Structure formats: structure tokens, C-alpha cells
Amino acid sequence: EAGVVQSPRYKIIEKKQPVAFWCNPISGHNTLYWYLQNLGQGPELLIRYENEEAVDDSQLPKDRFSAERLKGVDSTLKIQPAELGDSAVYLCASSLDARQETQYFGPGTRLLVL
Amino acid sequence: SQQGEEDPQALSIQEGENATMNCSYKTSINNLQWYRQNSGRGLVHLILIRSNEREKHSGRLRVTLDTSKKSSSLLITASRAADTASYFCATPSTGSARQLTFGSGTQLTVLP
């Protein structure tokens, strides 16, 4: 069974530029999560989807961050414009549904904003 | 805000020794999970322990949970160089049982 797929794995951009990250969850997983992980820290939730509905986006900085999961499968996280402080690893995870406690993580996208 | 906090922040041991990591949390929980993260990779689920369990084993892993002290420990026995990774505890968020809150992790280094 394929795991959670994320692309790109690495991205270097200049500040004020836009950037987008893509995630393909495990097949059949209805719940999808985007996390931000700073160096030396644990992941922090940005947004959670149940199918195509964003059910918790309270931690998403909505002035510059946006996300979508149009068909309830793949998801895209966008930052526009990027700031120096956005440099971090962006992790995507999925679970079968909201009742399943275990989450399955992708390898992450490492973003460097110059 | 972070619910769980791991201790120590970093641990270095020799191959074959046991490694113990601790996690403390603030509010009542119904389960606690441990995850491992190898450098440059995503997190991998190791084990889940429920609030009505005191101890759980999985291979060389032993997890304990003390709800009265709001703490958990992860013991890795007979460590190997491949166990070198960051280990995180995760608890359901206070605001939403469907979210996980992760601690800042313990960086374990196993020297060959």
C-alpha cells in the first residue's frame, strides 16, 4: 500500500513569492491534515479536512495561507506571499476517518524562504 | 498550545543499552500516542496506549501511562543504531478530540 505522497520534497523561494505544496493521502483515507514543523519542534496542526470539508482551520494564518481539497482526495496548501518566518517543514498526514486516532504522515516538504 | 512535553530533549546512548523517554501532559486524556521521526522524514506511529491501560508492549518498545501523574514513558530495549531518531508523544487536543497535539520531542542518538 502506498503511503502519503507529498511534493515537492524541497523548495527554495525568495520572500514575497508564492509557493504551493501538494499531498496525496493513503487511498480510502477521508481525513487529511496539514502540519507545520519548525526545527527542533513537534508538528503543529494548520488545518484538518473531513473529505472535502475543512473542519478545523483555526491555526491557519488566513491572510497568507490557503488550502483546498476539492474532490476529497488530493490537497494543496498555498502560501502567498511567503515570508522569511515561513521556512519550515510542511507535513501532510491522513487517517481512515475522524474516529481513527492513528495518523500516517508523508515525508514533508522542506521550505526555505530567502 | 502544546499539551505534551518530552524529557529529556536529547539522549545519547551506546548500542545495546536501553533508552527511556518521558512525556508529561496537562489535561485529562483518553489515549496517548508515540511517534518516531527519522531525520528528513515524516513521523511514524509506534504505539497507542489508552487511559485504562497502564502498560503496553510492542517488540522492543514498552510504554507506560500514569494518568494520576499525567505522564507516560517510552522504553526502547537493546537499542540499535537504527533507533536514532526523534521521538514525540501526542495527545488529543483540549479543543478537539480529533486533533493531536505533539510535544517538542526527544532526540535519541544511539552510538555504534
Side-chain angles (χ1 to χ4, degrees):
Chain A
E1 179 183 88
V4 176
V5 179
Q6 290 188 248
S7 69
R9 291 294 313 277
Y10 305 92
K11 189 74 177 179
I12 301 175
I13 62 172
E14 294 187 344
K15 63 181 180 182
K16 300 184 181 180
Q17 294 300 306
V19 64
F21 315 122
W22 176 80
C23 173
N24 181 241
I26 292 173
S27 178
H29 280 198
N30 295 328
T31 306
L32 184 146
Y33 311 79
W34 282 103
Y35 288 90
L36 165 72
Q37 186 177 25
N38 288 306
L39 188 64
Q41 299 295 314
E44 298 176 37
L45 182 71
L46 291 173
I47 189 168
R48 173 170 66 96
Y49 281 94
E50 296 296 337
N51 298 302
E52 65 274 9
E53 181 182 0
V55 296
D56 191 338
D57 62 355
S58 58
Q59 302 302 312
L60 191 72
K62 298 181 184 60
D63 57 336
R64 297 183 300 107
F65 286 65
S66 64
E68 60 183 15
R69 194 185 184 199
L70 294 177
K71 297 183 179 180
V73 180
D74 295 3
S75 178
T76 303
L77 178 68
K78 298 178 182 177
I79 308 175
Q80 183 172 12
E83 297 179 351
L84 296 177
D86 296 331
S87 294
V89 176
Y90 292 83
L91 293 164
C92 179
S94 69
S95 62
L96 189 60
D97 54 43
R99 295 167 296 177
Q100 186 189 52
E101 296 102 340
T102 300
Q103 297 181 19
Y104 299 84
F105 283 79
T109 296
R110 186 174 297 273
L111 174 67
L112 178 60
V113 182
L114 302 176
Chain B
S1 62
Q2 291 193 323
Q3 159 89 296
E5 289 297 334
E6 293 86 349
D7 170 62
Q9 290 186 335
L11 179 61
S12 184
I13 60 174
Q14 294 292 136
E15 209 166 24
E17 294 180 339
N18 296 341
T20 300
M21 289 157 271
N22 303 296
C23 170
S24 59
Y25 56 92
K26 298 174 183 175
T27 62
S28 296
I29 57 173
N30 55 23
N31 69 77
L32 183 144
Q33 301 182 54
W34 285 91
Y35 285 79
R36 182 188 76 228
Q37 185 177 34
N38 290 86
S39 180
R41 308 290 292 274
L43 281 75
V44 174
H45 178 260
L46 294 176
I47 198 165
L48 180 151
I49 186 167
R50 300 196 182 278
S51 58
N52 60 354
E53 298 174 304
R54 291 296 169 261
E55 187 171 309
K56 199 165 183 178
H57 297 256
S58 177
R60 294 184 295 112
L61 306 181
R62 172 182 166 239
V63 169
T64 63
L65 180 64
D66 187 333
T67 54
S68 66
K69 295 182 179 178
K70 292 187 171 58
S71 67
S72 174
S73 68
L74 171 66
L75 168 67
I76 303 174
T77 60
S79 63
R80 305 167 182 168
D83 295 327
T84 295
S86 292
Y87 292 82
F88 297 90
C89 66
T91 55
S93 298
T94 52
S96 169
R98 304 307 177 198
Q99 289 179 207
L100 292 179
T101 299
F102 291 84
S104 55
T106 292
Q107 172 61 51
L108 173 66
T109 301
V110 181
L111 303 170

